[in-house]
Amino acid sequence: MWPRPKDLVTVHKQPPQSNDVAPGRNKAILQLADSSSIVLDDLDTGMLAQQGSTKVLKLINGQLTYHAAAGHDHQILYNVISTPRGGQYQVILPDGSKVWLNAASSLRFPTAFAGKERNVTLTGEAYFEIAPDRNMPFKVQAGDTKVEVLGTQFNIMAYSDEDMINTTLLDGAVRVSTSSGRPGEGLKLQPGQQARSYMGSATITAHEVDTESVVAWKNGMFLFDGNDVLTIMRQIERWYDVEVHYAGKAPEGHYSGTIGRDKSLMKVLRILEESDLKFKIEGKNLTVL
């Protein structure tokens, strides 16, 4: 049984620190079909590339979008958009589906959808808003987990340093299956449910969850809901691009609270320290004391 969650409280203003770390921001690399790469961070708006009959554009709000020409037999080319640690990005796919990528994540997708399915591959974490098309189901492959969609909003977390792959449904319906499961098997989720699966396991379980905490990252927040220190620090590592170390055993206990992801690392740590945690920063190394 968990100890009672400790609440994170608002911190008093602290003097500036010379070894502070800025929060993450919109930055990503786009790999084109010919393996050339475009750094998206500070590019001007407008057309970035032509992929077959599809134009790749950067919008004024920083989004990446794909415009496939109507009435063309599209050549199937694949692009990969990747965010580093300390980065996030949004892409609008050729069918109008929207994808928000969290830090240290990548999405592989075709520059035009054709055939009977819309298939993409995810590593890391992303939030999806899928354009409905009953004649062409949307499928996401994330590790051993496959998510099949008709039109819906959901979040997938599939980081390699996490124990499980979590698929959380906010609206609509999805079916979640694993590569090691039997053909045709899968777990259908209802809004508010999360499917959890371990890598290499055919077992998937459904759980009721607080969807607000799951997608808090997309809305610019850390929302901890009874999380342990190890889980919290993995999020800190990805967003601030730091290496977390522990001076001995990781502190026990579980913590709850909300912190804006626009705060510098030092401000976030000061808030965490109100719950009896202690830290030391040396460059890109963060030690939990």
Side-chain angles (χ1 to χ4, degrees):
M1 187 172 180
W2 284 3
R4 181 179 178 181
K6 299 179 181 180
D7 292 326
L8 307 178
V9 298
T10 303
V11 67
H12 301 296
K13 288 186 177 180
Q14 299 289 334
Q17 301 287 331
S18 60
N19 58 346
D20 203 356
V21 178
R25 61 186 179 89
N26 285 345
K27 53 184 177 179
I29 294 175
L30 177 66
Q31 181 179 313
L32 301 175
D34 62 0
S35 296
S36 63
S37 296
I38 300 174
V39 179
L40 301 174
D41 308 7
D42 300 314
L43 284 178
D44 292 334
T45 59
M47 182 171 162
L48 305 182
Q50 180 89 29
Q51 297 286 274
S53 57
T54 299
K55 294 181 179 179
V56 185
L57 304 107
K58 183 178 180 181
L59 303 182
I60 194 168
N61 58 5
Q63 296 174 338
L64 187 70
T65 186
Y66 282 70
H67 286 179
H72 282 71
D73 291 329
H74 297 288
Q75 181 183 3
I76 304 302
L77 303 173
Y78 285 88
N79 285 185
V80 179
I81 182 171
S82 303
T83 56
R85 296 206 308 185
Q88 63 180 11
Y89 220 83
Q90 184 182 351
V91 57
I92 302 175
L93 300 179
D95 64 340
S97 295
K98 298 179 180 179
V99 185
W100 287 256
L101 281 175
N102 203 351
S105 303
S106 69
L107 186 74
R108 182 178 185 269
F109 56 94
T111 58
F113 289 110
K116 297 180 180 180
E117 296 178 350
R118 296 171 285 170
N119 292 290
V120 302
T121 303
L122 170 72
T123 62
E125 184 171 19
Y127 176 84
F128 295 81
E129 289 185 357
I130 302 304
D133 186 345
R134 293 190 173 277
N135 297 319
M136 191 183 290
F138 194 99
K139 295 184 177 181
V140 183
Q141 185 76 44
D144 286 345
T145 296
K146 178 175 285 186
V147 180
E148 182 175 353
V149 195
L150 290 177
T152 191
Q153 299 175 27
F154 60 100
N155 191 88
I156 300 178
M157 186 184 72
Y159 286 112
S160 60
D161 59 353
E162 298 286 351
D163 293 334
M164 293 179 292
I165 296 176
N166 296 334
T167 303
T168 308
L169 181 65
L170 282 80
D171 183 64
V174 298
R175 184 178 298 277
V176 183
S177 59
T178 65
S179 300
S180 51
R182 295 179 181 177
E185 285 187 341
L187 183 66
K188 188 174 181 179
L189 294 183
Q190 300 297 323
Q193 289 185 324
Q194 180 181 86
R196 300 175 185 172
S197 58
Y198 288 91
M199 290 293 289
S201 172
T203 303
I204 308 174
T205 56
H207 305 263
E208 299 290 333
V209 295
D210 175 15
T211 57
E212 183 180 358
S213 65
V214 172
V215 300
W217 68 269
K218 169 186 169 285
N219 300 320
M221 305 296 294
F222 293 111
L223 202 166
F224 305 127
D225 185 16
N227 298 116
D228 61 25
V229 171
L230 293 171
T231 300
I232 292 172
M233 288 299 106
R234 286 195 293 270
Q235 294 187 45
I236 295 294
E237 277 189 317
R238 295 174 196 133
W239 188 234
Y240 292 96
D241 189 18
V242 294
E243 296 292 337
V244 173
H245 310 275
Y246 296 89
K249 186 179 179 182
E252 297 182 354
H254 295 79
Y255 300 83
S256 297
T258 303
I259 306 173
R261 294 208 330 167
D262 60 343
K263 296 183 182 298
S264 72
L265 177 58
M266 188 65 70
K267 290 181 179 179
V268 171
L269 298 182
R270 289 290 178 257
I271 295 174
L272 292 171
E273 285 181 341
E274 294 287 338
S275 297
D276 300 327
L277 296 171
K278 300 297 179 184
F279 306 92
K280 180 174 68 174
I281 303 178
E282 294 177 320
K284 285 286 188 175
N285 292 294
L286 169 62
T287 302
V288 183
L289 304 175

